[in-house]
Coordinates of all heavy atoms in Angstrom, one line a residue:
M1 N 32.1 60.5 -66.8 CA 32.5 59.9 -65.5 C 32.2 60.9 -64.4 O 32.4 62.1 -64.5 CB 33.9 59.5 -65.5 CG 34.3 58.9 -64.1 SD 36.1 58.5 -63.8 CE 36.8 58.4 -65.3
K2 N 31.7 60.4 -63.2 CA 31.3 61.2 -62.1 C 32.2 60.8 -61.0 O 32.5 59.7 -60.7 CB 29.9 61.0 -61.8 CG 29.4 61.9 -60.7 CD 28.0 61.6 -60.2 CE 27.0 61.7 -61.3 NZ 25.6 61.6 -60.9
I3 N 32.7 61.8 -60.2 CA 33.4 61.6 -58.9 C 32.5 62.2 -57.8 O 32.1 63.3 -57.9 CB 34.8 62.3 -58.9 CG1 35.6 61.9 -60.1 CG2 35.5 62.1 -57.6 CD1 36.9 62.6 -60.3
T4 N 32.3 61.4 -56.8 CA 31.4 61.8 -55.8 C 32.2 61.6 -54.4 O 32.9 60.6 -54.2 CB 30.2 60.9 -55.6 OG1 29.5 60.9 -56.9 CG2 29.3 61.3 -54.5
V5 N 32.1 62.7 -53.6 CA 32.7 62.6 -52.3 C 31.6 62.9 -51.2 O 30.9 63.9 -51.4 CB 33.9 63.7 -52.1 CG1 34.4 63.7 -50.7 CG2 35.0 63.4 -53.1
V6 N 31.5 62.0 -50.3 CA 30.4 62.2 -49.2 C 31.3 62.2 -47.9 O 32.0 61.3 -47.6 CB 29.4 61.1 -49.2 CG1 28.4 61.3 -48.0 CG2 28.7 61.1 -50.5
R7 N 31.0 63.3 -47.2 CA 31.7 63.4 -45.8 C 30.6 63.2 -44.8 O 29.6 64.0 -44.8 CB 32.4 64.8 -45.7 CG 33.1 64.9 -44.4 CD 33.6 66.3 -44.1 NE 32.5 67.2 -43.9 CZ 32.5 68.5 -43.8 NH1 33.7 69.1 -44.1 NH2 31.5 69.2 -43.5
S8 N 30.8 62.3 -43.9 CA 29.8 62.1 -42.8 C 30.5 62.1 -41.5 O 31.8 62.2 -41.4 CB 29.0 60.8 -43.0 OG 30.0 59.8 -43.0
G9 N 29.8 62.1 -40.4 CA 30.4 62.0 -39.1 C 30.6 63.4 -38.5 O 29.9 64.4 -38.9
G10 N 31.7 63.5 -37.7 CA 31.9 64.8 -37.1 C 31.0 65.0 -35.9 O 30.1 64.1 -35.6
I11 N 31.1 66.1 -35.2 CA 30.3 66.4 -34.0 C 28.8 66.5 -34.4 O 27.9 65.9 -33.7 CB 30.8 67.6 -33.3 CG1 32.2 67.3 -32.8 CG2 29.8 68.1 -32.1 CD1 32.9 68.5 -32.2
V12 N 28.5 67.2 -35.4 CA 27.1 67.5 -35.9 C 26.5 66.2 -36.6 O 25.3 65.9 -36.4 CB 27.0 68.7 -36.8 CG1 25.6 68.9 -37.3 CG2 27.5 69.9 -36.0
G13 N 27.3 65.5 -37.3 CA 26.9 64.3 -38.0 C 26.1 64.5 -39.3 O 25.7 63.5 -39.9
A14 N 25.9 65.8 -39.7 CA 25.3 66.0 -40.9 C 26.1 65.7 -42.1 O 27.2 66.3 -42.2 CB 24.7 67.5 -41.0
P15 N 25.7 64.8 -43.1 CA 26.6 64.5 -44.2 C 26.6 65.7 -45.3 O 25.7 66.4 -45.4 CB 25.9 63.3 -44.8 CG 24.5 63.4 -44.4 CD 24.5 64.1 -43.0
R16 N 27.8 65.8 -45.9 CA 27.9 66.8 -47.0 C 28.3 65.9 -48.2 O 29.0 65.0 -48.1 CB 29.0 67.7 -46.7 CG 28.8 68.7 -45.5 CD 27.8 69.8 -45.8 NE 28.1 70.5 -47.1 CZ 28.7 71.6 -47.3 NH1 29.2 72.3 -46.2 NH2 28.8 72.1 -48.5
R17 N 27.8 66.4 -49.4 CA 28.0 65.6 -50.6 C 28.5 66.6 -51.7 O 27.9 67.6 -51.9 CB 26.8 64.9 -51.0 CG 26.9 64.1 -52.3 CD 25.5 63.6 -52.7 NE 25.5 62.8 -53.8 CZ 25.6 61.5 -53.8 NH1 25.6 60.9 -52.7 NH2 25.7 60.8 -55.0
W18 N 29.6 66.2 -52.4 CA 30.1 67.0 -53.5 C 30.2 66.1 -54.7 O 30.7 64.9 -54.5 CB 31.4 67.6 -53.2 CG 31.3 68.5 -52.0 CD1 30.9 69.8 -51.9 CD2 31.8 68.2 -50.7 NE1 31.0 70.3 -50.6 CE2 31.5 69.4 -49.8 CE3 32.4 67.1 -50.1 CZ2 31.9 69.4 -48.5 CZ3 32.7 67.1 -48.8 CH2 32.5 68.3 -48.0
E19 N 29.9 66.6 -55.9 CA 30.1 65.8 -57.1 C 30.6 66.6 -58.2 O 30.4 67.8 -58.3 CB 28.7 65.2 -57.6 CG 28.2 64.1 -56.7 CD 26.9 63.5 -57.3 OE1 26.3 64.1 -58.3 OE2 26.5 62.5 -56.8
V20 N 31.4 66.0 -59.1 CA 31.8 66.6 -60.3 C 31.7 65.6 -61.4 O 32.0 64.4 -61.3 CB 33.2 67.2 -60.2 CG1 34.2 66.1 -59.9 CG2 33.6 68.0 -61.4
T21 N 31.1 66.0 -62.6 CA 31.0 65.2 -63.7 C 32.1 65.7 -64.7 O 32.2 66.8 -65.1 CB 29.6 65.3 -64.4 OG1 28.7 64.9 -63.4 CG2 29.5 64.4 -65.6
L22 N 32.9 64.7 -65.1 CA 34.1 65.0 -66.0 C 33.8 65.1 -67.5 O 34.6 65.6 -68.3 CB 35.2 64.0 -65.8 CG 35.6 63.8 -64.3 CD1 36.8 62.8 -64.3 CD2 36.0 65.1 -63.7
D23 N 32.7 64.6 -67.9 CA 32.4 64.4 -69.4 C 32.6 65.6 -70.2 O 33.2 65.6 -71.2 CB 31.0 63.9 -69.6 CG 30.8 62.5 -68.9 OD1 31.8 61.8 -68.7 OD2 29.6 62.1 -68.6
D24 N 32.2 66.8 -69.7 CA 32.2 68.0 -70.5 C 33.3 69.0 -70.0 O 33.2 70.2 -70.5 CB 30.8 68.7 -70.6 CG 29.8 67.8 -71.3 OD1 30.2 67.0 -72.2 OD2 28.6 67.8 -70.9
R25 N 34.1 68.6 -69.1 CA 35.1 69.5 -68.6 C 36.3 69.8 -69.5 O 36.8 68.8 -70.0 CB 35.5 69.1 -67.2 CG 34.4 69.2 -66.2 CD 34.9 69.0 -64.8 NE 35.8 70.0 -64.4 CZ 35.5 71.0 -63.7 NH1 34.3 71.2 -63.3 NH2 36.4 71.9 -63.3
D26 N 36.8 71.0 -69.6 CA 38.0 71.2 -70.4 C 39.2 70.6 -69.7 O 40.1 70.2 -70.4 CB 38.1 72.7 -70.5 CG 37.1 73.4 -71.4 OD1 36.4 72.7 -72.2 OD2 36.9 74.6 -71.2
D27 N 39.2 70.5 -68.4 CA 40.3 70.0 -67.7 C 40.2 68.5 -67.4 O 40.8 67.9 -66.5 CB 40.6 70.8 -66.4 CG 39.4 70.8 -65.5 OD1 38.3 70.4 -65.9 OD2 39.6 71.3 -64.3
R28 N 39.4 67.7 -68.1 CA 39.1 66.4 -68.0 C 40.3 65.5 -67.8 O 40.4 64.6 -66.9 CB 38.2 65.8 -69.1 CG 37.7 64.4 -68.9 CD 36.8 64.0 -70.0 NE 36.2 62.8 -69.8 CZ 36.7 61.6 -70.2 NH1 37.8 61.6 -70.8 NH2 36.1 60.5 -70.0
E29 N 41.3 65.7 -68.6 CA 42.6 64.9 -68.6 C 43.3 65.0 -67.3 O 43.8 64.0 -66.8 CB 43.4 65.2 -69.8 CG 42.9 64.6 -71.1 CD 42.6 63.2 -71.1 OE1 43.5 62.4 -70.6 OE2 41.6 62.7 -71.6
S30 N 43.3 66.2 -66.8 CA 44.1 66.3 -65.5 C 43.3 65.6 -64.3 O 43.9 65.1 -63.5 CB 44.3 67.8 -65.1 OG 43.1 68.5 -64.9
W31 N 42.0 65.6 -64.4 CA 41.2 64.9 -63.4 C 41.5 63.4 -63.5 O 41.6 62.7 -62.5 CB 39.7 65.1 -63.6 CG 39.2 66.4 -63.0 CD1 39.1 67.6 -63.8 CD2 38.7 66.7 -61.7 NE1 38.6 68.5 -62.9 CE2 38.3 68.0 -61.7 CE3 38.6 65.9 -60.6 CZ2 37.8 68.6 -60.6 CZ3 38.0 66.5 -59.5 CH2 37.6 67.8 -59.4
L32 N 41.5 62.9 -64.8 CA 41.6 61.5 -65.0 C 43.1 61.0 -64.5 O 43.2 59.9 -63.9 CB 41.5 61.1 -66.4 CG 40.1 61.2 -67.0 CD1 40.0 60.9 -68.5 CD2 39.1 60.3 -66.2
M33 N 44.0 61.9 -64.8 CA 45.4 61.5 -64.3 C 45.4 61.5 -62.8 O 46.0 60.6 -62.2 CB 46.4 62.6 -64.8 CG 47.8 62.2 -64.4 SD 49.1 63.2 -65.2 CE 48.4 64.7 -65.6
L34 N 44.8 62.4 -62.1 CA 44.7 62.4 -60.6 C 44.1 61.1 -60.1 O 44.5 60.4 -59.3 CB 44.0 63.6 -60.1 CG 43.8 63.7 -58.5 CD1 45.1 63.7 -57.8 CD2 43.0 64.9 -58.2
V35 N 42.9 60.7 -60.7 CA 42.2 59.5 -60.3 C 43.0 58.3 -60.6 O 43.0 57.4 -59.7 CB 40.8 59.5 -61.1 CG1 40.2 58.0 -60.9 CG2 39.9 60.6 -60.7
R36 N 43.8 58.2 -61.6 CA 44.6 57.0 -61.9 C 45.7 56.9 -60.9 O 46.2 55.8 -60.6 CB 45.2 57.2 -63.4 CG 44.2 56.7 -64.4 CD 45.0 56.6 -65.8 NE 45.5 57.8 -66.3 CZ 44.9 58.6 -67.1 NH1 43.7 58.3 -67.5 NH2 45.5 59.7 -67.5
E37 N 46.2 58.0 -60.4 CA 47.3 57.9 -59.5 C 46.9 57.7 -58.0 O 47.8 57.5 -57.2 CB 48.1 59.3 -59.6 CG 48.8 59.5 -60.9 CD 49.5 60.8 -61.1 OE1 49.3 61.6 -60.2 OE2 50.1 60.9 -62.1
L38 N 45.6 57.6 -57.7 CA 45.2 57.4 -56.4 C 45.6 55.9 -56.0 O 45.4 55.0 -56.8 CB 43.7 57.6 -56.3 CG 43.3 59.0 -56.3 CD1 41.7 59.1 -56.5 CD2 43.7 59.9 -55.1
P39 N 46.0 55.7 -54.7 CA 46.3 54.3 -54.3 C 45.0 53.6 -53.8 O 44.9 53.2 -52.7 CB 47.2 54.6 -53.1 CG 46.7 55.9 -52.6 CD 46.3 56.7 -53.7
W40 N 44.2 53.3 -54.8 CA 42.9 52.6 -54.6 C 43.0 51.3 -53.8 O 42.2 50.9 -53.0 CB 42.1 52.3 -55.8 CG 41.7 53.6 -56.5 CD1 42.3 54.2 -57.6 CD2 40.5 54.4 -56.2 NE1 41.6 55.4 -58.0 CE2 40.5 55.5 -57.1 CE3 39.5 54.2 -55.3 CZ2 39.5 56.4 -57.1 CZ3 38.5 55.2 -55.3 CH2 38.5 56.2 -56.2
N41 N 44.1 50.5 -54.1 CA 44.3 49.2 -53.5 C 45.2 49.2 -52.3 O 45.5 48.1 -51.8 CB 44.8 48.2 -54.6 CG 43.9 48.0 -55.7 OD1 42.6 48.0 -55.5 ND2 44.4 48.0 -56.9
E42 N 45.6 50.4 -51.8 CA 46.5 50.4 -50.7 C 45.9 51.2 -49.5 O 46.7 51.8 -48.8 CB 47.8 51.1 -51.2 CG 48.6 50.4 -52.3 CD 49.7 51.3 -52.9 OE1 50.1 52.2 -52.2 OE2 50.0 51.0 -54.0
V43 N 44.6 51.1 -49.4 CA 44.0 51.8 -48.3 C 44.0 50.9 -47.1 O 43.3 49.8 -47.0 CB 42.4 52.1 -48.7 CG1 41.8 52.8 -47.5 CG2 42.5 53.0 -49.9
P44 N 44.7 51.2 -46.1 CA 44.8 50.4 -44.8 C 43.5 50.5 -44.1 O 42.7 51.5 -44.1 CB 45.9 51.1 -44.0 CG 46.1 52.4 -44.6 CD 45.6 52.4 -45.9
R45 N 43.1 49.5 -43.4 CA 41.9 49.4 -42.6 C 42.1 50.1 -41.2 O 42.8 49.5 -40.4 CB 41.4 48.0 -42.4 CG 41.2 47.3 -43.7 CD 39.8 47.2 -44.0 NE 39.6 46.5 -45.3 CZ 38.7 46.9 -46.2 NH1 37.9 47.9 -46.0 NH2 38.5 46.2 -47.3
V46 N 41.6 51.3 -41.0 CA 41.9 52.0 -39.8 C 40.4 52.4 -39.3 O 39.7 53.0 -40.0 CB 42.7 53.2 -40.0 CG1 42.8 54.0 -38.7 CG2 44.1 52.8 -40.5
P47 N 40.1 52.1 -38.1 CA 38.8 52.5 -37.6 C 38.7 54.0 -37.5 O 39.7 54.6 -37.1 CB 38.6 51.8 -36.2 CG 40.0 51.5 -35.8 CD 40.9 51.3 -37.1
P48 N 37.5 54.6 -37.8 CA 37.4 56.0 -37.6 C 37.5 56.4 -36.1 O 37.1 55.6 -35.2 CB 36.1 56.3 -38.2 CG 35.3 55.0 -38.2 CD 36.3 53.9 -38.3
A49 N 38.0 57.6 -35.9 CA 38.0 58.1 -34.5 C 36.7 58.7 -34.2 O 36.0 59.3 -35.0 CB 39.2 59.1 -34.3
P50 N 36.3 58.7 -32.9 CA 35.0 59.4 -32.5 C 35.0 60.8 -32.8 O 36.0 61.6 -32.8 CB 35.0 59.2 -30.9 CG 35.9 58.1 -30.7 CD 36.9 58.1 -31.7
D51 N 33.9 61.4 -33.3 CA 33.7 62.8 -33.6 C 34.6 63.3 -34.7 O 34.8 64.5 -34.9 CB 33.9 63.7 -32.4 CG 32.9 63.4 -31.4 OD1 31.7 63.0 -31.7 OD2 33.2 63.6 -30.1
R52 N 35.1 62.4 -35.6 CA 35.9 62.8 -36.8 C 35.1 62.5 -38.0 O 34.2 61.6 -38.0 CB 37.3 62.2 -36.8 CG 38.1 62.3 -35.5 CD 39.3 63.1 -35.5 NE 40.0 63.5 -36.6 CZ 41.4 63.2 -36.8 NH1 42.0 62.6 -35.8 NH2 42.0 63.7 -37.7
Y53 N 35.5 63.1 -39.1 CA 34.8 62.8 -40.3 C 35.2 61.5 -41.0 O 36.3 61.1 -40.7 CB 35.0 64.0 -41.3 CG 34.5 65.3 -41.0 CD1 35.3 66.4 -40.8 CD2 33.1 65.4 -40.8 CE1 34.7 67.6 -40.4 CE2 32.5 66.7 -40.4 CZ 33.3 67.8 -40.2 OH 32.8 69.0 -39.9
V54 N 34.3 61.0 -41.8 CA 34.6 59.8 -42.6 C 34.3 60.2 -44.1 O 33.2 60.8 -44.3 CB 33.8 58.6 -42.2 CG1 34.0 57.4 -43.1 CG2 34.1 58.2 -40.8
Y55 N 35.1 59.9 -45.0 CA 34.9 60.3 -46.4 C 34.7 59.0 -47.2 O 35.5 58.0 -47.2 CB 36.2 61.0 -47.0 CG 36.4 62.4 -46.4 CD1 36.9 62.6 -45.1 CD2 35.9 63.5 -47.1 CE1 37.1 63.8 -44.6 CE2 36.1 64.7 -46.5 CZ 36.7 64.9 -45.3 OH 36.8 66.1 -44.8
R56 N 33.6 59.0 -48.0 CA 33.3 58.0 -49.0 C 33.6 58.6 -50.3 O 32.9 59.6 -50.7 CB 31.9 57.5 -49.0 CG 31.6 56.4 -50.0 CD 30.2 55.9 -49.9 NE 30.0 55.2 -48.6 CZ 30.2 53.9 -48.5 NH1 30.7 53.2 -49.5 NH2 30.1 53.2 -47.4
I57 N 34.6 58.1 -51.1 CA 35.0 58.6 -52.4 C 34.6 57.5 -53.5 O 35.1 56.4 -53.3 CB 36.5 59.0 -52.4 CG1 36.8 59.9 -51.3 CG2 37.0 59.5 -53.7 CD1 38.3 60.1 -50.9
S58 N 33.9 58.0 -54.4 CA 33.5 57.0 -55.5 C 33.8 57.7 -56.9 O 33.6 58.8 -57.1 CB 32.0 56.7 -55.4 OG 31.6 56.2 -54.2
C59 N 34.3 56.8 -57.7 CA 34.6 57.1 -59.0 C 34.5 55.9 -59.9 O 35.2 54.9 -59.7 CB 36.1 57.7 -59.1 SG 36.5 58.2 -60.8
A60 N 33.7 56.0 -61.0 CA 33.4 54.8 -61.8 C 33.0 53.6 -60.9 O 32.0 53.8 -60.2 CB 34.6 54.5 -62.6
R61 N 33.6 52.6 -61.0 CA 33.2 51.4 -60.1 C 34.0 51.3 -58.9 O 33.9 50.2 -58.3 CB 33.3 50.1 -61.0 CG 32.4 50.1 -62.2 CD 32.5 48.8 -63.0 NE 33.9 48.6 -63.4 CZ 34.2 48.6 -64.7 NH1 33.3 48.7 -65.6 NH2 35.5 48.3 -65.0
R62 N 34.8 52.2 -58.6 CA 35.6 52.2 -57.4 C 35.0 53.0 -56.3 O 34.6 54.2 -56.5 CB 37.1 52.7 -57.6 CG 37.8 51.8 -58.6 CD 39.2 52.2 -58.9 NE 40.0 51.2 -59.4 CZ 41.2 51.4 -59.7 NH1 41.7 52.6 -59.7 NH2 42.0 50.4 -60.2
T63 N 35.1 52.5 -55.1 CA 34.7 53.3 -53.9 C 35.7 52.9 -52.7 O 36.1 51.8 -52.6 CB 33.3 52.9 -53.4 OG1 32.4 53.3 -54.5 CG2 32.9 53.7 -52.2
V64 N 36.0 54.0 -52.0 CA 36.9 53.9 -50.8 C 36.3 54.7 -49.7 O 35.7 55.7 -50.0 CB 38.4 54.3 -51.2 CG1 38.5 55.7 -51.5 CG2 39.3 53.9 -50.1
V65 N 36.4 54.1 -48.5 CA 36.0 54.9 -47.3 C 37.2 55.1 -46.5 O 38.0 54.2 -46.1 CB 34.9 54.0 -46.5 CG1 34.6 54.8 -45.2 CG2 33.7 53.7 -47.4
L66 N 37.5 56.4 -46.2 CA 38.6 56.7 -45.5 C 38.2 57.7 -44.2 O 37.5 58.6 -44.3 CB 39.5 57.7 -46.3 CG 40.1 57.0 -47.6 CD1 40.7 58.1 -48.4 CD2 41.1 56.0 -47.2
P67 N 38.8 57.3 -43.1 CA 38.6 58.2 -41.9 C 39.4 59.5 -42.2 O 40.4 59.5 -43.0 CB 39.2 57.4 -40.7 CG 40.0 56.3 -41.3 CD 39.6 56.1 -42.7
E68 N 39.0 60.6 -41.6 CA 39.6 61.9 -41.8 C 41.1 61.9 -41.7 O 41.8 62.5 -42.5 CB 39.0 62.8 -40.8 CG 39.5 64.2 -40.9 CD 38.9 65.1 -39.8 OE1 38.5 64.6 -38.7 OE2 38.8 66.3 -40.1
Q69 N 41.7 61.1 -40.8 CA 43.1 61.2 -40.6 C 43.9 60.5 -41.8 O 45.1 60.7 -41.9 CB 43.5 60.6 -39.3 CG 43.2 59.1 -39.1 CD 41.9 58.8 -38.5 OE1 40.9 59.6 -38.6 NE2 41.7 57.7 -37.8
Q70 N 43.1 59.8 -42.7 CA 43.9 59.2 -43.8 C 43.6 60.0 -45.1 O 44.1 59.6 -46.1 CB 43.3 57.8 -44.0 CG 43.9 56.8 -43.0 CD 43.5 55.4 -43.3 OE1 42.4 55.0 -43.0 NE2 44.4 54.7 -44.0
V71 N 42.9 61.1 -45.1 CA 42.6 61.8 -46.3 C 43.8 62.8 -46.4 O 43.7 64.0 -46.0 CB 41.3 62.6 -46.2 CG1 41.0 63.4 -47.4 CG2 40.2 61.6 -46.0
V72 N 44.9 62.3 -46.9 CA 46.2 63.0 -47.1 C 46.7 62.8 -48.5 O 46.3 61.8 -49.2 CB 47.2 62.6 -46.0 CG1 46.7 63.0 -44.6 CG2 47.5 61.2 -46.1
G73 N 47.6 63.6 -48.9 CA 48.3 63.4 -50.1 C 47.4 63.5 -51.3 O 46.5 64.4 -51.4
P74 N 47.4 62.6 -52.3 CA 46.6 62.6 -53.4 C 45.0 62.5 -53.0 O 44.2 63.0 -53.7 CB 47.0 61.4 -54.2 CG 47.7 60.5 -53.4 CD 48.3 61.3 -52.2
W75 N 44.7 61.8 -51.9 CA 43.3 61.9 -51.5 C 42.8 63.2 -51.1 O 41.7 63.6 -51.5 CB 43.1 60.8 -50.3 CG 43.4 59.4 -50.7 CD1 44.3 58.6 -50.3 CD2 42.6 58.6 -51.5 NE1 44.3 57.4 -50.8 CE2 43.2 57.3 -51.6 CE3 41.5 58.8 -52.4 CZ2 42.6 56.3 -52.4 CZ3 40.9 57.8 -53.1 CH2 41.5 56.5 -53.2
R76 N 43.7 63.9 -50.3 CA 43.3 65.3 -50.0 C 43.2 66.2 -51.2 O 42.2 67.0 -51.3 CB 44.4 65.9 -49.0 CG 44.2 67.4 -48.6 CD 42.9 67.8 -48.1 NE 42.5 67.1 -47.0 CZ 41.2 67.1 -46.6 NH1 40.2 67.7 -47.2 NH2 40.8 66.4 -45.5
D77 N 44.1 66.0 -52.1 CA 44.0 66.8 -53.4 C 42.7 66.5 -54.1 O 42.1 67.5 -54.6 CB 45.2 66.4 -54.4 CG 46.6 66.7 -53.8 OD1 46.6 67.6 -52.9 OD2 47.5 66.2 -54.3
L78 N 42.3 65.2 -54.2 CA 41.0 65.0 -54.9 C 39.8 65.5 -54.1 O 38.9 66.1 -54.8 CB 40.9 63.4 -55.0 CG 39.6 63.0 -55.8 CD1 39.6 63.4 -57.3 CD2 39.3 61.5 -55.6
V79 N 39.8 65.3 -52.8 CA 38.6 65.8 -52.0 C 38.5 67.3 -52.2 O 37.4 67.9 -52.4 CB 38.8 65.4 -50.6 CG1 37.8 66.1 -49.7 CG2 38.5 63.9 -50.4
D80 N 39.6 68.0 -52.0 CA 39.6 69.5 -52.2 C 39.2 69.9 -53.6 O 38.4 70.8 -53.8 CB 40.9 70.1 -51.8 CG 41.3 69.9 -50.4 OD1 40.4 69.7 -49.5 OD2 42.5 70.1 -50.0
R81 N 39.6 69.2 -54.6 CA 39.4 69.6 -56.0 C 37.9 69.3 -56.3 O 37.2 70.2 -57.0 CB 40.3 68.8 -56.9 CG 40.2 69.3 -58.3 CD 41.4 68.7 -59.1 NE 41.3 69.2 -60.4 CZ 42.0 68.8 -61.4 NH1 43.0 67.9 -61.3 NH2 41.9 69.3 -62.7
V82 N 37.3 68.3 -55.8 CA 35.9 68.0 -56.1 C 35.1 69.0 -55.3 O 34.1 69.5 -55.9 CB 35.5 66.5 -55.6 CG1 34.0 66.3 -55.6 CG2 36.2 65.5 -56.5
R83 N 35.4 69.2 -54.1 CA 34.6 70.2 -53.3 C 34.6 71.6 -54.0 O 33.6 72.3 -54.2 CB 35.2 70.4 -51.9 CG 34.4 71.2 -51.0 CD 35.0 71.6 -49.6 NE 36.3 72.2 -49.9 CZ 37.4 71.8 -49.3 NH1 37.5 70.8 -48.5 NH2 38.6 72.5 -49.6
D84 N 35.8 72.0 -54.5 CA 35.9 73.3 -55.1 C 35.2 73.3 -56.5 O 34.5 74.4 -56.8 CB 37.4 73.7 -55.3 CG 38.2 73.9 -54.1 OD1 37.6 74.1 -53.0 OD2 39.4 73.9 -54.1
A85 N 35.3 72.3 -57.2 CA 34.6 72.2 -58.5 C 33.1 72.2 -58.4 O 32.3 72.8 -59.1 CB 35.0 71.0 -59.3
A86 N 32.6 71.6 -57.2 CA 31.2 71.5 -57.0 C 30.6 72.8 -56.6 O 29.4 73.1 -56.8 CB 30.9 70.4 -55.9
S87 N 31.4 73.7 -56.1 CA 30.9 75.0 -55.7 C 31.1 76.1 -56.8 O 30.9 77.3 -56.5 CB 31.6 75.5 -54.4 OG 33.0 75.6 -54.6
E88 N 31.6 75.7 -57.9 CA 31.8 76.7 -59.0 C 30.5 77.2 -59.6 O 29.5 76.5 -59.6 CB 32.6 76.0 -60.2 CG 34.0 75.8 -59.8 CD 34.8 75.1 -61.0 OE1 34.1 74.6 -61.9 OE2 36.0 75.1 -60.9

């Protein structure tokens, strides 16, 4: 399984993309637990604010788009973890 986070927008507008593939990771189970606990169906529709980032998070057949101000709690944990794992 692959988790992809794409950050777009901001003042510069240049997108950033981070990915992690879980198939061969030793910590795969902890990743899967985090993904299962995400509130995929409870994402409120909030328009993005000007000059702020927008995050597109994809995992398996699920995708969510969150404005920067909603990337909190477990969403922030996932984004940070994917970004850190992609730079290993």
Side-chain angles (χ1 to χ4, degrees):
M1 178 187 337
K2 185 186 301 187
I3 302 172
T4 305
V5 175
V6 178
R7 184 187 73 192
S8 60
I11 295 173
V12 176
R16 295 285 315 261
R17 179 185 184 97
W18 302 281
E19 288 184 351
V20 64
T21 301
L22 304 183
D23 298 338
D24 298 326
R25 293 189 63 95
D26 293 335
D27 58 350
R28 182 176 190 270
E29 287 304 315
S30 67
W31 282 91
L32 293 175
M33 187 170 21
L34 177 59
V35 168
R36 279 192 295 267
E37 293 175 356
L38 290 168
W40 293 98
N41 297 321
E42 300 170 21
V43 177
R45 304 260 182 217
V46 176
D51 297 329
R52 305 250 343 232
Y53 293 121
V54 174
Y55 291 81
R56 176 179 294 276
I57 302 166
S58 301
C59 180
R61 294 182 303 243
R62 293 180 159 174
T63 298
V64 67
V65 178
L66 298 169
E68 180 180 29
Q69 63 270 28
Q70 286 186 277
V71 181
V72 296
W75 294 112
R76 172 53 58 198
D77 295 342
L78 180 71
V79 167
D80 291 346
R81 194 167 176 188
V82 170
R83 188 188 60 229
D84 293 347
S87 64
E88 289 178 346

